[in-house]
Amino acid sequence: MLLCDFHIHTTYSDGSVELRRTIDLFGQAGFDVIAITDHVVNGDNPLGKLAHRFKYSVTASNFDQYMSDIRQEAERAHDKYGMLVIPGIEITKNHLSTDNSAHMLIIDVQDFIPACISYEEIFLEAKKQNALTIACHPHYMSAKSDRDTLFLWNNRDKYARYIDAWEIANRDDVFNVISLKKYPYIANSDFHKPRHLYSWKTLLNCDKEIDPIKQCIKHNKGVALTLFRN
Ligand code: ZN
Ligand code: ZN
């Protein structure tokens, strides 16, 4: 099975490790498939404006550079490690209330998607780009209770049909509610620091190519979880 991590941050947003070193960390650890998913933060409230001021967000103006850096590193990763690197972003809608906050991975993104447009517009845009939409850390987390992101779970009756998969595990947390709902699931590290390499991961039983990987996740067929330890 393919050892995968679809939720990884670099210094393009609030990760502490530069893209090139991140690729080497995962390549040397034997990963088959990873997605780089730096934050795209909503700039329409004080919280978001702060993230932009500290450059914790990919923006419309550096998105092309972000994508070309990932594509260049993807080529190197393929040659050096046989590892597939997929470009992605984490749409980050931060609000003071955890009930109104939501984070979504857009996996295999092609064009910039701003975080301040409506959920409907984001889902539509992701679909147009043939990208996967993943609901991140959708329930209560153990460590960061002030930063829980509950909006998508609270509004699942309205939005679940647009979401390709939900994170059933994020780093050290497992979200039992996702299994009860029988939603498609994956598990990711939400990598920000080297020690986050050791965390929940996804195993996929498919070819190491972008389309079979997306199908596998969407149809929730041949998907397993593993707690990756040193
Ligand atoms: Zn997040
Ligand atoms: Zn994240």
Side-chain angles (χ1 to χ4, degrees), residues 132-152:
L132 286 187
T133 307
I134 314 286
C136 301
H137 38 78
H139 213 246
Y140 295 103
M141 289 181 278
S142 55
K144 30 188 176 180
S145 57
D146 58 325
R147 290 174 47 212
D148 285 334
T149 46
L150 304 174
F151 180 85
L152 291 173

Side-chain angles (χ1 to χ4, degrees), residues 1-8 33-35 37 86 89 103-108 132-139 163-176 178-179 182-190 199-206 212-227:
M1 290 184 96
L2 302 175
L3 177 61
C4 312
D5 191 340
F6 298 100
H7 190 162
I8 297 170
V33 183
I34 63 169
T37 56
I86 305 169
I89 51 174
H103 292 188
M104 283 176 289
L105 301 177
I106 310 292
I107 304 292
D108 198 25
L132 286 187
T133 307
I134 314 286
C136 301
H137 38 78
H139 213 246
I163 295 169
D164 293 306
W166 299 66
E167 278 187 344
I168 197 164
N170 174 293
R171 199 176 300 158
D172 303 312
D173 286 307
V174 179
F175 307 108
N176 299 331
I178 301 303
S179 57
K182 300 192 165 50
Y183 290 148
Y185 57 82
I186 58 173
N188 295 317
S189 68
D190 204 349
S199 56
W200 285 101
K201 304 286 188 245
T202 306
L203 295 169
L204 296 182
N205 189 10
C206 66
I213 287 166
K214 287 198 278 195
Q215 292 305 314
C216 203
I217 293 173
K218 255 191 197 178
H219 300 298
N220 198 215
K221 238 180 163 179
V223 182
L225 314 178
T226 187
L227 186 51

Side-chain angles (χ1 to χ4, degrees), residues 21-183:
R21 221 187 116 223
T22 303
I23 299 292
D24 287 328
L25 267 176
F26 279 87
Q28 285 159 8
F31 278 76
D32 296 296
V33 183
I34 63 169
I36 302 296
T37 56
D38 274 300
H39 292 282
V40 171
V41 185
N42 59 321
D44 56 357
N45 66 19
L47 265 184
K49 285 200 175 82
L50 214 61
H52 279 264
R53 176 150 357 125
F54 286 107
K55 303 218 184 313
Y56 286 163
S57 176
V58 173
T59 61
S61 55
N62 72 351
F63 180 77
D64 288 350
Q65 185 64 50
Y66 172 71
M67 289 293 278
S68 85
D69 278 4
I70 293 174
R71 292 208 169 104
Q72 201 178 323
E73 279 301 312
E75 253 176 62
R76 194 176 67 86
H78 176 267
D79 295 346
K80 194 166 180 189
Y81 303 111
M83 180 172 74
L84 179 68
V85 177
I86 305 169
I89 51 174
E90 182 176 9
I91 294 281
T92 303
K93 283 179 171 287
N94 284 341
H95 295 274
L96 283 177
S97 151
T98 58
D99 284 327
N100 288 331
S101 297
H103 292 188
M104 283 176 289
L105 301 177
I106 310 292
I107 304 292
D108 198 25
V109 70
Q110 309 294 327
D111 300 309
F112 185 70
I113 304 177
C116 52
I117 57 177
S118 71
Y119 286 93
E120 285 82 355
E121 288 171 304
I122 291 168
F123 293 132
L124 199 68
E125 189 53 42
K127 202 174 167 63
K128 240 193 261 171
Q129 298 184 22
N130 195 25
L132 286 187
T133 307
I134 314 286
C136 301
H137 38 78
H139 213 246
Y140 295 103
M141 289 181 278
S142 55
K144 30 188 176 180
S145 57
D146 58 325
R147 290 174 47 212
D148 285 334
T149 46
L150 304 174
F151 180 85
L152 291 173
W153 176 255
N154 290 346
N155 293 277
R156 58 193 178 277
D157 290 343
K158 187 169 174 195
Y159 291 124
R161 76 191 74 167
Y162 304 111
I163 295 169
D164 293 306
W166 299 66
E167 278 187 344
I168 197 164
N170 174 293
R171 199 176 300 158
D172 303 312
D173 286 307
V174 179
F175 307 108
N176 299 331
V177 290
I178 301 303
S179 57
L180 292 171
K181 274 284 169 188
K182 300 192 165 50
Y183 290 148

